Amino acid sequence: MNSAPTLHALSNADLHCHSKVSDGTLEPEALAARAKSQGVELWALTDHDEVGGQQRAMDAALALGLPYLTGTEISVSFAGKVVHIVGLGFDHNNAELVAGLRATRGGREPRAREMAEGLAQVGIKGAFEGALRYVGNPELISRTHFARWLVDAGHCSDVPEVFRRFLTEGKPGFVPHKWASLRDALRWVHEAGGLTVIAHPARYGFTPTEEYALFTEFIGHGGRGVEVVTGSHTAAEAVKYGDMAQEFGLLASRGSDFHSPDESHTELGSLPGLPGKLEPVWLALQDRIHLPS
């Protein structure tokens, strides 16, 4: 790495998005070009439970003159729900991190086959084979791939309808999965030299008590940040989690959670800035940012 870039609190950092390596629709190189064209000043690719696209994303970003942070989004089981933890600024070749993520991915294919069986029971045949056509990495087949197939096959009009009718708890095709523990997910990232962030906390629907427990345990395991401004947060939620960042002494992160030009409501680089009272996570990661030569 070279010396730290000139970044500040209002830099247009987008530290949460997905490529075809997990459940996005663009290759890492295309995402890098899109981020650059949208005015992103610091970028991280954060594919689900996977770092296989990191070198490609980094090489493409640096070739475009775009500073880059390594990233991933790890699925964690907490209080009966799936919580996502974003890791940033780690060594993406770290053997323990790579092995941990591989183990977390390991149950996805059997789960996907069970999901397809559940859909078949309500008359929707061929869902597993159909979803596979949308998967860049078969180890990461997910509900999103099933949803895209269900829309394109004419079973639903759009992805939101899919999740109203199928693939969620109590609906046909829903199958729970045992993800990583919070402790293990944070340990993998920290031992690889990275920093961890609670992703889009408003999405989990926790009670105040459950949310307090999440933040407390996260910090207890060395977690450092929380996404305040993200594609799924309202302005009011950004204010709420900005206040919680201050209350818990956490760094603030920012990311669009971009998946696809056709599906994502928030474009790369288009989010409002962090409130000025917060300390951005990227300022704590200056020495881990990869810079163009």
Side-chain angles (χ1 to χ4, degrees):
M1 297 184 195
N2 300 318
S3 59
T6 303
L7 290 170
H8 49 80
L10 297 179
S11 294
N12 191 357
D14 197 321
L15 306 181
H16 187 162
C17 69
H18 301 275
S19 77
K20 201 168 184 178
V21 175
S22 64
D23 61 344
T25 61
L26 300 180
E27 299 290 355
E29 294 82 0
L31 269 178
R34 194 177 188 96
K36 179 69 173 178
S37 71
Q38 293 295 325
V40 173
E41 296 171 303
L42 173 64
W43 179 53
L45 172 64
T46 58
D47 280 319
H48 289 285
D49 305 308
E50 176 64 275
V51 290
Q54 287 302 302
Q55 194 64 52
R56 291 170 60 191
M58 185 189 309
D59 290 347
L62 299 185
L64 292 165
L66 176 60
Y68 186 76
L69 270 172
T70 53
T72 188
E73 185 176 15
I74 306 177
S75 305
V76 167
S77 296
F78 186 87
K81 295 185 179 180
V82 180
V83 169
H84 291 160
I85 299 296
V86 167
L88 296 168
F90 50 79
D91 171 10
H92 62 286
N93 294 311
N94 178 273
E96 187 172 3
L97 173 65
V98 170
L101 295 178
R102 183 182 299 116
T104 297
R105 297 194 303 270
R108 283 184 182 259
E109 181 179 335
R111 175 183 180 236
R113 291 188 181 277
E114 284 191 56
M115 290 163 63
E117 289 173 9
L119 292 171
Q121 289 172 10
V122 293
I124 299 175
K125 309 290 187 182
F128 179 77
E129 293 75 15
L132 272 181
R133 297 202 294 268
Y134 296 78
V135 177
N137 179 354
E139 286 189 348
L140 283 168
I141 189 169
S142 71
R143 294 187 310 159
T144 303
H145 302 116
F146 279 89
R148 289 175 183 148
W149 177 77
L150 285 165
V151 171
D152 290 348
H155 297 288
C156 296
S157 59
D158 55 26
V159 170
E161 182 187 347
V162 172
F163 291 115
R164 287 194 299 271
R165 296 176 55 197
F166 306 106
L167 308 179
T168 55
E169 190 167 3
K171 307 287 185 179
F174 174 75
V175 179
H177 180 78
K178 176 64 177 174
W179 303 108
S181 70
L182 186 63
R183 178 194 295 271
D184 285 346
L186 269 62
R187 178 173 53 82
W188 299 335
V189 174
H190 297 161
E191 292 188 0
L195 184 152
T196 46
V197 173
I198 299 173
H200 41 60
R203 281 181 45 179
Y204 306 126
F206 282 139
T207 66
T209 300
E210 291 169 333
E211 188 168 74
Y212 184 87
L214 170 64
F215 275 65
T216 302
E217 186 169 333
F218 173 75
I219 292 167
H221 294 313
R224 295 280 308 283
V226 59
E227 279 186 352
V228 172
V229 177
T230 184
S232 58
H233 279 185
T234 66
E237 288 166 344
V239 170
K240 172 185 174 179
Y241 289 103
D243 289 344
M244 289 188 70
Q246 288 196 298
E247 176 186 352
F248 285 90
L250 291 170
L251 303 166
S253 195
R254 176 181 187 269
S256 58
D257 200 4
F258 181 86
H259 283 72
S260 166
D262 300 321
E263 297 171 10
S264 297
H265 299 297
T266 304
E267 179 60 80
L268 284 158
S270 67
L271 291 168
L274 291 174
K277 61 187 178 181
L278 301 177
E279 183 178 355
V281 68
W282 54 90
L283 297 187
L285 289 165
Q286 294 261 20
D287 63 342
R288 302 174 220 183
I289 296 171
H290 296 263
L291 298 172
S293 56

